[in-house]
Amino acid sequence: MLFIPLPFVLTLLLCIILFRLYQQRETLPSSQLFLTLISTYTLGTALVGIRWGYGITAVQPIMAVCAVSWAILAWLCFRSLTIEGASIIWRKDYVHALPVVAVLLQILLMPDLIDILIIATDVFYGYLLLKLARQGQSALKTVRLEQVTTVHKGLYATAYILMLFAVLDVVIFIDIEIFGGKYAASLITFANIPMIFALGFVASLASQSQPQTRVVEANGESVLKSVPDQSATKETERADTDLSTDKALVERLDKFMRETELYKDVDLNLAKLARKFGIPTRQISAAVNKVKSINVSQYVNAYRVQALCELLESSDQPIIQLQLETGFQTKSNCNREFLRVTGLSPSQWREQKRQPTS
């Protein structure tokens, strides 16, 4: 009977994700980064199957390069969801290539120390991702507001999984030193299972990333075709901002949302809202959170729910069509937010409103 290692099964699943993402590459600003990340995961899982399924040790140097690369690429991918402009600026980001260079040198000069570098890389970039996640959803300002909660959870998950990889590498190192690698094959094989969950999050992020189109300039930087967000230059310390100022800002924002119906834009993200409203992203996020005790995504979705309620009562059109008209892109998110705001599903709300009063 033909033996097919588990990593090869995961490799096949990753190839499917890669193919679907490749088909969307023209419409996804960050698709190249995510394609590179998932390609690295795909190669890594295939090499694990070759090494531990068939005992071919010649692939170990490539495995080491992959292990270092996917931590770096995971950081760059998530960071790209926090900025408008170039995903990578080489004159600043070249430092992220140093761990890969160090691994290549260690392969040639000090192969016994490779595991230490891999562990250190996982811990360092896991920490960077965790630090980014702790900034809150407002940090992911180029992600559509409808998906920002899922993306934020994916950010946390990726950070923790990188940390888990570091722990597993330590356990494997101890197993090899004490037990001669008796459990290494099983540990390495099942270490790929959390990775596939991370990839699921990454693929989701890639398919729902920034809607804007990038334009590359001669100096290697990039800007958006739309009006650039000036929040980076306008943001100031808000520690001394009083509640009355926040309330005034939210009142202005309420009026703006009612007049423009910007919430109906399915591609709306925090960066676009800030540009249209003319207020920095962090200031909007802080004011909404302070005054309404909700995040910006929930704030916008509340307007969508209100608009949907009006249409459900006045229109006989299918619910799925009405949800698109009010800015919801997916049925699951619509049902979740509608339940959060009204305590009912859209169909229950329509049925209740149309019952004859006694």
Side-chain angles (χ1 to χ4, degrees), residues 30-262:
S30 296
S31 63
Q32 296 303 321
L33 262 180
F34 284 103
L35 279 169
T36 304
L37 172 62
I38 300 177
S39 296
T40 306
Y41 276 122
T42 305
L43 177 60
T45 53
L47 293 174
V48 167
I50 293 172
R51 167 62 182 91
W52 297 99
Y54 299 104
I56 301 175
T57 59
V59 299
Q60 285 185 288
I62 309 176
M63 289 172 57
V65 174
C66 287
V68 170
S69 298
W70 63 48
I72 299 168
L73 288 168
W75 159 249
L76 293 174
C77 282
F78 276 98
R79 191 194 63 175
S80 73
L81 302 176
T82 69
I83 55 177
E84 292 188 287
S87 297
I88 296 179
I89 302 174
W90 290 109
R91 60 184 174 82
K92 295 180 179 180
D93 292 330
Y94 71 90
V95 293
H96 296 294
L98 295 180
V100 177
V101 174
V103 165
L104 293 174
L105 291 175
Q106 284 188 322
I107 290 172
L108 297 174
L109 305 176
M110 299 176 290
D112 293 338
L113 299 180
I114 289 177
D115 289 337
I116 297 176
L117 179 58
I118 293 174
I119 292 169
T121 303
D122 284 339
V123 171
F124 177 71
Y125 284 97
Y127 166 75
L128 289 182
L129 287 166
L130 191 59
K131 185 178 179 181
L132 178 60
R134 286 178 174 173
Q135 293 180 24
Q137 296 182 8
S138 61
L140 303 170
K141 63 181 181 180
T142 64
V143 176
R144 293 187 183 97
L145 290 174
E146 188 175 5
Q147 286 87 30
V148 70
T149 299
T150 300
V151 171
H152 191 240
K153 291 178 181 178
L155 175 55
Y156 265 115
T158 304
Y160 287 133
I161 288 173
L162 283 181
M163 298 288 191
L164 177 60
F165 281 152
V167 173
L168 286 170
D169 284 341
V170 172
V171 173
I172 291 168
F173 178 79
I174 294 172
D175 172 64
I176 292 174
E177 292 296 317
I178 297 178
F179 302 104
K182 180 179 180 180
Y183 305 103
S186 297
L187 288 170
I188 290 177
T189 298
F190 288 105
N192 282 271
I193 294 178
M195 184 176 66
I196 195 64
F197 284 98
L199 292 175
F201 280 115
V202 170
S204 174
L205 294 174
S207 64
Q208 302 166 357
S209 61
Q210 308 99 316
Q212 296 96 335
T213 302
R214 298 180 188 276
V215 179
V216 179
E217 297 181 326
N219 62 359
E221 305 278 351
S222 77
V223 297
L224 300 176
K225 286 183 176 179
S226 54
V227 178
D229 185 6
Q230 301 296 330
S231 60
T233 59
K234 292 181 182 178
E235 288 184 16
T236 56
E237 183 62 47
R238 292 180 47 83
D240 58 348
T241 301
D242 56 29
L243 183 59
S244 61
T245 302
D246 288 319
K247 286 183 177 179
L249 190 151
V250 172
E251 288 176 1
R252 286 172 50 208
L253 183 60
D254 286 335
K255 181 180 179 182
F256 176 78
M257 294 294 284
R258 289 192 298 268
E259 291 177 350
T260 64
E261 296 185 338
L262 188 60

